[in-house]
């Protein structure tokens, strides 16, 4: 055995062995319990970053641990290769998305292998490959036939820099989720998936995901946004049209004095057409389309609107209500129409004051005069109904049911439920995506591609247009085709699908990635799915995770899967963070562009003193990133893995610390030196299996510590994923091992040390697999056998201890502690406590009122 730990030699050796022996390749085995461990697959954006390293290390530890526990573990990896992230990066680097993507995949795959992750690479999927998106196109066609996919013209979120539509979930505070630029409204014909069909089911099952973090299910509940209320019909004056309004406050309908429609509402143009207001309304609608229309930003705008030239009738009062289009009304809430009750809604109150509209009080607090209500602001509290016809004098909360009954019996409205969730717009006007498999025929309309013609292949040999626009619509050989129904000339759809479509079902494809006769092999999916443990960032809570739940329901209703929820347990790991460094001349700096002198930092490019900023998420834009390749070269993969797990619990943010990485490397060296020191003594010894009482005191103590550590580490990994405390427990065991001199060991002592060292290796093997494999082989075990060696079990008899630690308090304040025989009775414990010198000083001259012994752990002396 070398006396020096050399990861540059050890790690390539074991990576090569694992690959040659297909160590992590698995197949379905009904005789074994399965465990499907999955981390969210990456965009092939260029290089693996530290966020990837942490995420995948967490998953790899669990996968290796579960394998050692006897499970048949599926642990696959692939590439979320289509979409704007890859396309924008390719454009920025002046290359083609296909070339950029495939080059990055090759590079990142090599990085992942260097980190020693236990992936079954035989199951690798790449979403931009035709063999993958062929089945996505097939599923789109089935969804179209079932009414789950449809096309309509509507206002959509449009990002000018990215030249594409965004789903509501991809607009963050009014900005594009990818480029961060403002999003505007644009009217287009788009393809949608009817996710709203499952709104209630998705909401209900948020309560049936006990393995998910509460923060994620709460975010999904809020995004689905169920509201109960009433839908009320307001007839348009001198027209057969009615404006349906959803409200949760139908108790205030008697106070509705005007109507506000969202600028995107389809009735706005209809109502203003032919009126003197038509031109002004059109101008207002266009101006609103250019605004940030997110609900967050609307709260900051001054309320404004314009009269459409039309009136509607309040069905409860008969009053004429002017119909406005207003910037605070949103199509994404309810029906996009707001019955405005200025006396009882502050937003409506402000609008009414601005445009001199009527304010009618219909709820009055008990004990107040009606003339005192809503004089300076809206009254939004409870009270008694006034100015409300037959409902006057009733409590406004309980009256809601009576008003709902009134509306329904007179066909003026109905009880209703509204969801914030809107159908998923999946059309993208970008090149790098799966083509939508539909054809436009003048005679037959929009029809699906014949399934025998799938996949509709995205041509990868064409250049992008200036600004990143898709060339598909100008590519004659792609656009021009024949109708599969009538055989006449037709045009192919040139939109591509949202990248989140690919990631909404990839976990099922992993179960049978080579299946070429169906979207997947159902028997394989029946065996492996659902995913037992999913790991990824919380930023995907209302995008990928919600879409995946939706897609699984679609597959379930098509009888392709027997479950509704794709992920049984979810872990959302924290971010990797580091302080920023900024130079007054060069802006943000990479860590390697700074040098430290004493307690100051200086720019290596210009010599200026630099500012050390706050610790925040690593990002390329702020350059507070650490290149994993540098760490791999200096320390090796196992040290990097160890630091990622030891620095913080997985759900917490990890603050980067160079000293922590170095400390991890020193710890591995410490284990290595311990093994080297004891190897000659324990090489031919068997792990101790005798009785505890037969051991000398030092080795009895070590045997006890070994089994306490096994129990601790097993619980930390199995129950909590607290790898940091598991590693800390192993460190304590190593410290105990170092306290024993190798020359002092007899036969049983050598066997105890052998058992302790094997336990350290086994417990650390999921965390530092190359290091552990090397030591395992050095101990004489079969090369490469460690990953399939059973996880160590602790012995109950070894957990017992001859003595216990008792803490002494005087009037609740700590005054001492002592060891005593585990079988000592309370009287002996009291006697020992009173004999303590520090206790004697504390109670000197005072009367002892009582002595309380608590579970043989604590003595409290009351004076």
């Amino acid at each position: 055995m070398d006396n020096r730990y050399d990861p540059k030699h050890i790690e390539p050796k074991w990576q090569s062995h694992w690959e040659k022996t297909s160590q992590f390749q698995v197949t379905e085995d009904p005789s074994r319990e399965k465990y499907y461990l999955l981390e969210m697959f990456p965009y092939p954006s260029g290089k693996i970053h530290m966020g990837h390293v942490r995420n995948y290390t967490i998953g790899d530890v669990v996968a290796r641990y579960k394998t050692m526990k006897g499970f048949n573990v599926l642990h696959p990896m692939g590439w979320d290769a289509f979409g704007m992230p890859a396309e924008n990066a390719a454009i920025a680097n002046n290359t083609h998305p296909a070339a950029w993507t495939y080059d990055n995949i090759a590079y990142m795959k090599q990085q992942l292998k260097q980190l020693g992750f236990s992936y079954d690479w035989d199951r690798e999927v790449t979403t931009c490959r035709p063999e993958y998106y062929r089945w996505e196109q097939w599923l789109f066609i089935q969804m179209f036939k079932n009414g789950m996919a449809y096309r309509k013209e509507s206002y959509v979120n449009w990002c000018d820099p990215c030249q594409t539509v965004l789903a509501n979930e991809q607009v963050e505070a009014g900005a594009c989720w990818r480029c961060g630029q403002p999003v505007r409204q644009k009217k287009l014909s788009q393809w949608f998936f009817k996710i709203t069909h499952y709104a209630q089911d998705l909401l209900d099952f948020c309560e049936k995901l006990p393995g998910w973090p509460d923060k994620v299910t709460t975010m999904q509940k809020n995004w689905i946004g169920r509201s109960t209320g009433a839908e009320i019909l307001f007839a348009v004056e001198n027209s057969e049209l009615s404006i349906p309004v959803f409200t949760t406050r139908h108790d205030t309908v008697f106070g509705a004095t005007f109507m506000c429609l969202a600028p995107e509402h389809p009735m706005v143009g209809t109502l203003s057409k032919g009126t003197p207001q038509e031109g002004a309304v059109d101008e207002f609608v266009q101006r609103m389309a250019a605004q940030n229309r997110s609900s967050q930003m609307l709260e900051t705008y001054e309320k404004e609107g314009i009269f459409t030239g039309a009136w509607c009738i309040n069905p409860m009062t008969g009053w004429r209500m002017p119909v406005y289009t207003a910037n605070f009304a949103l199509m994404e809430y309810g029906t996009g129409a707001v019955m405005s009750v200025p006396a009882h809604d502050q937003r409506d109150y402000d609008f009414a004051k601005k445009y001199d509209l009527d304010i009618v009080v219909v709820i009055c607090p008990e004990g107040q005069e009606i003339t005192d209500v809503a004089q300076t602001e809206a009254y939004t509290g409870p009270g008694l109904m006034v100015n409300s016809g037959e409902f006057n004098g009733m409590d406004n909360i309980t009256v809601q049911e009576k008003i709902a009954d009134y509306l329904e019996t007179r066909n003026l409205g109905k009880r209703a439920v509204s969801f914030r969730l809107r159908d998923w717009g999946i059309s993208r006007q970008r090149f790098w995506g799966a083509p939508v498999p539909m054809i436009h025929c003048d005679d037959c309309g929009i029809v699906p591609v014949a399934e025998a013609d799938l996949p509709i292949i995205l041509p990868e040999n064409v250049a992008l247009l200036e600004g990143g626009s898709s060339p598909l619509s100008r590519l004659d050989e792609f656009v021009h085709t024949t109708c599969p129904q009538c055989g006449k000339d037709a045009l192919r759809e040139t939109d591509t699908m949202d990248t989140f479509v690919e990631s909404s079902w990839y976990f099922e494809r992993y179960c049978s990635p080579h299946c070429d006769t169906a979207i997947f092999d159902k028997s394989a999916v029946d065996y492996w799915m659902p995913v037992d443990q999913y790991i990824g960032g919380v930023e995907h809570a209302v995008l990928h995770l919600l879409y995946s739940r939706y897609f699984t329901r679609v597959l379930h209703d098509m009888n392709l899967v027997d479950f509704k929820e794709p992920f049984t347990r979810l872990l959302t790991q924290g971010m990797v963070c580091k302080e920023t460094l900024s130079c007054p001349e060069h802006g943000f700096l990479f860590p390697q562009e700074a040098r430290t002198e004493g307690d100051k930092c200086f720019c290596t490019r210009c010599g200026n003193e630099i500012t050390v900023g706050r610790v925040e998420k690593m990002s390329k834009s702020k350059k507070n990133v650490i290149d994993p390749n540098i760490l791999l070269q200096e320390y090796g993969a196992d040290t990097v893995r160890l630091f990622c797990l030891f620095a913080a619990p997985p759900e917490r943010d990890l603050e980067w610390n160079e000293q922590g990485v170095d400390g991890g490397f020193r710890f591995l060296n410490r284990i290595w030196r311990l093994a080297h020191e004891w190897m000659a003594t324990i090489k031919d010894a068997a792990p101790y299996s005798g009785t505890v009482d037969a051991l000398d005191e030092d080795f009895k103590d070590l045997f006890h510590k070994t089994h306490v550590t096994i129990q601790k580490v097993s619980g930390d990994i199995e129950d909590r994923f607290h790898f940091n405390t598991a590693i800390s427990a192993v460190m304590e065991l190593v410290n105990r091992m170092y306290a024993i001199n190798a020359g002092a060991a007899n036969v049983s002592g050598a066997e105890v040390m052998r058992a302790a060292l094997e336990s350290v290796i086994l417990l650390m093997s999921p965390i530092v697999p190359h290091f552990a494999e090397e030591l395992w082989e050095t101990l004489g075990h079969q090369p490469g056998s460690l990953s399939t060696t059973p996880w160590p079990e602790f012995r109950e008899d070894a957990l017992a201890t001859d003595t216990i630690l008792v803490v002494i308090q005087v009037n609740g304040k700590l005054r001492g502690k002592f060891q005593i025989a585990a079988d000592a009775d309370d009287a002996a414990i009291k006697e020992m406590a009173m004999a303590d010198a520090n206790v004697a000083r504390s109670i000197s001259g005072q009367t002892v009122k009582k002595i309380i012994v608590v579970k043989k752990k604590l003595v409290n002396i009351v004076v």
Side-chain angles (χ1 to χ4, degrees), residues 294-303 347:
S294 67
S295 56
Q296 298 96 323
M297 289 303 298
L298 289 183
E299 291 297 322
T300 68
Y301 296 158
E302 181 184 353
K303 307 300 180 286
R347 179 189 55 190

Side-chain angles (χ1 to χ4, degrees), residues 292-318:
N292 183 334
R293 296 279 295 149
S294 67
S295 56
Q296 298 96 323
M297 289 303 298
L298 289 183
E299 291 297 322
T300 68
Y301 296 158
E302 181 184 353
K303 307 300 180 286
E304 63 173 317
I306 191 168
F307 178 48
T308 63
W311 299 74
C312 65
I313 306 301
N314 185 318
M316 304 296 277
T317 65

Side-chain angles (χ1 to χ4, degrees), residues 32 62 76 98 110 122 127 297 359 543-544 564 567 638 650 723-724 818 857:
R32 297 176 62 196
V62 179
Q110 187 57 38
D122 185 58
T127 61
M297 289 303 298
I359 299 175
L543 286 165
H544 163 60
K564 284 187 174 184
F567 314 121
D638 283 336
F723 310 112
N724 57 325
F818 61 88
K857 294 180 180 180

